[in-house]
Amino acid sequence: MTTIKEIARLAGVSAATVSNVLNGKPGAASPEKRNEILGLAKKLNYTVNVFARRLQKGKSNTIGIITEDLTVFNTPDIVDGIYEYCSEKGYEAILENMRLYKKFGSNFIDSPAHHGLIGKTVKNLLEKQVEGIVYVGYHCHDISYIPRSLPVPFVYAYCYSGNRLLPSVLMDDRKAGYDVTALLIQQNHRNIGVICGPLSSYSTQQRLAGYREALLNHNIQYNDKNVVFGDWEKGSGYELAPVLLKSGVTAVFAFNDLMAGGVVDWCRDHGFRPGVDVSIFGFDNREVSRFYNPQISTVEIPLLGIGRRAIEIVLDTGASGENGTIMLPCMVHERASSKR
Amino acid sequence: MTTIKEIARLAGVSAATVSNVLNGKPGAASPEKRNEILGLAKKLNYTVNVFARRLQKGKSNTIGIITEDLTVFNTPDIVDGIYEYCSEKGYEAILENMRLYKKFGSNFIDSPAHHGLIGKTVKNLLEKQVEGIVYVGYHCHDISYIPRSLPVPFVYAYCYSGNRLLPSVLMDDRKAGYDVTALLIQQNHRNIGVICGPLSSYSTQQRLAGYREALLNHNIQYNDKNVVFGDWEKGSGYELAPVLLKSGVTAVFAFNDLMAGGVVDWCRDHGFRPGVDVSIFGFDNREVSRFYNPQISTVEIPLLGIGRRAIEIVLDTGASGENGTIMLPCMVHERASSKR
DNA sequence: ATGAAAGCGCTAACAA
DNA sequence: TTGTTAGCGCTTTCAT
């Protein structure tokens, strides 16, 4: 690797002059010298060593991203949003992928081992002089990890610190639950079934709260027979569909697209026409929802926005909303599985 | 940020001693001094500046990854494979995401603007002293970009340099085409329809070649009425299905899962039972294929392996196979859409 | 057991 | 217009 020194030697000037010329300082050298230096740099394929530069400048212009698992479906878009904002602001991003899901499955979350791993990862990032960190969860869960005496801003994205000690950016699950329910009510459904995820899930709780709120606001009696709990997998949608449909619901709101797909299947296997006899809603706007037949109505999570907002807070140390938690609105997509 | 110097001052020793102690050099200091230094480091939350260290050591232990688009479905797993191998070898990875697909769509590929962007990205990585680069395509396409006088190894993953000047790692599309066809033949299909992608696509050409080879090896006449060309979208599968089925094929091999889904839909809409009256195969093993009803038989691309192999070549400057192109075998998954 | 000194590649303040 | 000097934080001889 060619260095400034070498160019200086060949051009017969000092390293300082080369540095100045290469950095475009006006009047750093005579036109001839300037050209000579530039020519040498090109010929020798000179590349600055950004780390030497940063060391000297005392500023890294870099932030760190920690992902729980890059291969879980929502993560890349969040990361993408972070990168997007960074490049707009002239920042670099370093990505640390913990590969949690692949390595440990779901039970690992918020365990001491998990906290330990985060600590190690944070330290690693800190050694690289990052000026802030965004932590990207692979689903919305509570995470009580608090880095001890963190010298840089730290924001959770797509997960949250239940103890509210660190800012988080999430989608507004409650509002989404409300919106879908209100939409179905507006379409004259009075008996709306819900297939939740496990009750322990934050998203389940929030969406369910939104559902109840919408019923209340429209003077519809809440009926707990209409609320059942699945496990986010397609199979549970298939199994729970009859429970709801036999008790007379005219619409089913499943809390993810996979379970909604299960409902669609059950309907078709048993003579109910999705989108005609029964309206079906999913959640997540996964690829499968648009691909399915019929296409499944769903709710899009503002992933890019979550990423952008999180890094925005980190960099601008900006307004962090009430309780340090920011909720971004989701977008409802009506498709054939629910259109009337 | 605490520095070694500061600790040295507080402990009343030299920076060299602190460095040695912190790096675990045996006999660097007396036990008491040692403890004092370690204690101070902990108390002051000391973190090494890895860049200062690297500058001094003259080695970055870092490789660069360039992705065409991180959010396109196959990319994260390839990246994951790269990270996995790196962490095994104690290497760091820097990710540069060009966001091509999101920003420009498909026409951008291999255009001068694209080459310019790659050049810029490579330069960027080089400034960070990477010791090698893996370039990850978002689909298998030719890319004629050759970095001029690259000082570090450069490998294409999931795309290839048609001029064979740089090594590439790909899946073996031809073999996959052969395997699926042979499997169908073995299941007594003699009239096998194919829905390709556009003929300009490398994967299309390869898989089609494999298809023909399998027919040939089993003494089945190739019939070009059985080969049609779609656009990778579900709709084209739906439209082309009748073209094939009405001419009497008993099996349809679509070159991606989306188009296979379209075939399934058409069959169901017209009284053909997928997996019974007609066998349907897709390609890619996307989430949708397993989610569909019936589940779609498909071919899994060894994404993780492609990533691992690519970085392996970069780091070990290892055996780069014939023509510098390495083909990794795919895995066939038989599911309900084709089981007999 | 401990430290002084040199230097990695670069930039910036100040001189000349 | 050009150069000298100093130093970013760290590691590594080589002395002591």
Side-chain angles (χ1 to χ4, degrees), chain B residues 15-172:
Chain B
T17 302
V18 176
S19 171
N20 286 332
V21 167
L22 257 24
N23 287 310
K25 291 257 189 322
S30 64
E32 309 86 60
K33 271 295 167 210
R34 214 185 91 85
N35 283 337
E36 189 182 350
I37 290 169
L38 259 21
L40 278 167
K42 179 145 267 175
K43 196 174 100 207
L44 302 177
N45 255 305
Y46 170 78
T47 321
V48 281
N49 181 329
V50 292
F51 300 127
R53 173 184 286 166
R54 284 180 192 169
L55 180 58
Q56 141 72 29
K57 292 215 174 187
K59 186 161 191 307
S60 71
N61 251 260
T62 300
I63 60 94
I65 305 173
I66 302 177
T67 57
E68 289 187 346
D69 201 314
L70 185 62
T71 62
V72 171
F73 74 112
N74 278 334
T75 307
D77 280 292
I78 299 174
V79 170
D80 213 33
I82 302 175
Y83 268 85
E84 187 182 83
Y85 189 83
C86 281
S87 72
E88 283 170 26
K89 295 288 177 185
Y91 265 75
E92 312 266 357
I94 300 180
L95 176 67
E96 295 277 346
N97 182 21
M98 299 196 295
R99 314 182 75 237
L100 244 53
Y101 189 73
K102 252 188 191 155
K103 273 160 70 181
F104 306 100
S106 305
N107 292 38
F108 193 69
I109 293 293
D110 220 24
S111 66
H114 180 195
H115 291 180
L117 181 55
I118 302 178
K120 233 181 74 187
T121 312
V122 167
K123 181 161 191 287
N124 204 273
L125 246 17
L126 254 20
E127 290 180 348
K128 290 176 188 146
Q129 315 301 115
V130 296
E131 296 169 22
I133 295 175
V134 177
Y135 180 100
V136 183
Y138 72 74
H139 68 247
C140 275
H141 56 78
D142 186 2
I143 177 165
S144 56
Y145 174 79
I146 296 295
R148 37 180 198 79
S149 69
L150 199 60
V152 299
F154 186 106
V155 175
Y156 284 114
Y158 204 52
C159 57
Y160 59 99
S161 85
N163 44 35
R164 308 281 159 144
L165 290 173
L166 289 170
S168 342
V169 181
L170 294 166
M171 66 281 202
D172 194 338

Side-chain angles (χ1 to χ4, degrees), chain A residues 1 42 45-55 60 69-71 73 76-77 79-81 83-84 92-97 99 102 123-124 126-129 148-149 151-152 234 238 257-262 265 268-269 286-293 295-296 304, chain B residues 1 42 45-55 60 69-71 73 76-77 79-81 83-84 92-97 99 102 123-124 126-129 148-149 151-152 234 238 257-262 265 268-269 286-293 295-296 304:
Chain A
M1 282 274 120
K42 178 144 270 174
N45 255 307
Y46 170 77
T47 321
V48 282
N49 182 328
V50 294
F51 299 127
R53 175 185 282 167
R54 284 180 192 169
L55 180 58
S60 71
D69 200 314
L70 185 62
T71 62
F73 72 112
D77 279 293
V79 170
D80 213 32
Y83 267 86
E84 186 182 83
E92 312 265 359
I94 300 179
L95 177 67
E96 295 276 347
N97 182 20
R99 315 182 74 237
K102 252 186 193 158
K123 181 158 191 287
N124 204 275
L126 254 21
E127 290 179 348
K128 291 176 188 147
Q129 316 302 114
R148 39 182 195 79
S149 69
V152 299
K234 188 179 179 186
Y238 195 91
D257 293 330
L258 269 39
M259 297 192 298
D265 281 5
R268 276 217 304 236
D269 289 351
R286 276 170 98 135
E287 181 183 48
V288 287
S289 69
R290 226 180 39 250
F291 184 70
Y292 223 60
N293 183 12
Q295 297 201 352
I296 299 174
L304 224 86
Chain B
M1 284 274 122
K42 179 145 267 175
N45 255 305
Y46 170 78
T47 321
V48 281
N49 181 329
V50 292
F51 300 127
R53 173 184 286 166
R54 284 180 192 169
L55 180 58
S60 71
D69 201 314
L70 185 62
T71 62
F73 74 112
D77 280 292
V79 170
D80 213 33
Y83 268 85
E84 187 182 83
E92 312 266 357
I94 300 180
L95 176 67
E96 295 277 346
N97 182 21
R99 314 182 75 237
K102 252 188 191 155
K123 181 161 191 287
N124 204 273
L126 254 20
E127 290 180 348
K128 290 176 188 146
Q129 315 301 115
R148 37 180 198 79
S149 69
V152 299
K234 188 180 179 186
Y238 194 91
D257 293 331
L258 269 38
M259 296 192 299
D265 281 5
R268 276 219 304 238
D269 289 351
R286 276 170 98 136
E287 181 184 50
V288 289
S289 69
R290 223 182 38 250
F291 183 70
Y292 223 58
N293 182 12
Q295 296 201 351
I296 298 174
L304 224 87

Side-chain angles (χ1 to χ4, degrees), chain A residues 180 184 189 191-196 211 226 228 237 240-246 248-256 259-264 266-267 277-283 296-297 337-338:
Chain A
V180 169
L184 289 168
H189 293 282
N191 217 350
I192 302 169
V194 179
I195 302 182
C196 307
Y211 165 80
N226 283 353
V228 295
L240 293 167
V243 177
L244 294 172
L245 288 165
K246 286 181 174 161
V249 307
T250 59
V252 175
F253 179 13
F255 283 178
N256 79 0
M259 297 192 298
V263 177
V264 169
W266 189 89
C267 284
D277 303 319
V278 52
S279 280
I280 299 168
F281 249 92
F283 208 106
I296 299 174
S297 297
S337 76
S338 78

